[in-house]
């Protein structure tokens, strides 16, 4: 995952659709995917390098740029307006819907440690797990998507 709004939207549209049809859904967030789960920026207990990474990263789902045509934020604002005009849920609304439907969110432990992201920095309801958690979910599922 690149930390891009359009890719996150695609993942959550698929996840909520699958969950709404009664399937068990788990989303595994690693590296830039963790930015979706952030509540905001927090620098407490971080070293200089971790603070710089936090400063440069988006501070949650409502601050993600588009993967293409972002144009310093203008493209993202245009996309948000088109979505609102067409009554398409925002990413934060899709995330809430996914949680309400029972979608499990797992933040990669190794990535969190590497990027010095604490669980307290993430939205409520996120679990922490390693690669084993991802592989276990993938082995039990009929379909695995890695976006």
């Amino acid at each position: 995952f690149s930390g891009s709004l359009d890719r996150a939207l695609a993942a959550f549209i698929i996840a909520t659709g699958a969950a709404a049809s009664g399937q068990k859904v788990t989303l595994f967030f690693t590296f830039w995917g963790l930015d979706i789960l952030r509540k905001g920026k927090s620098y407490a207990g971080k070293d200089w390098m971790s603070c710089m990474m936090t400063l440069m990263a988006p501070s949650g789902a409502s601050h993600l740029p588009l993967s293409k045509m972002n144009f310093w934020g203008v493209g993202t604002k245009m996309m948000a307006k088109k979505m609102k005009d067409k009554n398409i849920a925002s990413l934060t609304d899709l995330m809430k819907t996914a949680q309400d439907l029972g979608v499990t969110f797992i933040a990669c432990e190794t990535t969190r440690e590497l990027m010095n992201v604490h669980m307290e920095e993430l939205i409520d309801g996120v679990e922490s797990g390693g690669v084993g958690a991802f592989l276990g979910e993938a082995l039990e599922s009929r379909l695995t998507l890695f976006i």
Side-chain angles (χ1 to χ4, degrees), residues 5-110:
L5 174 63
D6 43 322
R7 292 181 178 139
L9 284 167
F12 277 94
I13 288 169
I14 293 168
T16 55
S21 68
Q23 297 181 46
K24 180 180 180 281
V25 178
T26 301
L27 295 174
F28 188 78
F29 297 84
T30 184
F31 289 99
W32 312 125
L34 291 175
D35 293 335
I36 297 171
L37 302 176
R38 288 182 190 265
K39 292 179 189 174
K41 295 196 185 282
S42 174
Y43 303 98
K46 295 187 178 187
D47 60 17
W48 182 84
M49 182 69 77
S50 297
C51 286
M52 292 306 296
M53 289 176 72
T54 299
L55 179 67
M56 292 185 288
S59 58
S62 60
H63 294 94
L64 297 177
L66 287 175
S67 61
K68 305 284 183 197
M69 299 182 352
N70 187 41
F71 301 117
W72 303 279
V74 174
T76 304
K77 287 184 186 349
M78 288 171 47
M79 175 64 82
K81 180 171 178 359
K82 285 204 74 73
M83 289 172 59
K84 184 177 179 182
D85 291 348
K86 300 287 183 179
N87 292 321
I88 298 172
S90 69
L91 180 56
T92 53
D93 290 341
L94 283 170
M95 291 172 65
K96 175 74 171 111
T97 300
Q99 285 184 315
D100 291 345
L101 289 169
V103 174
T104 303
F105 295 3
I106 300 177
C108 178
E109 283 183 31
T110 304

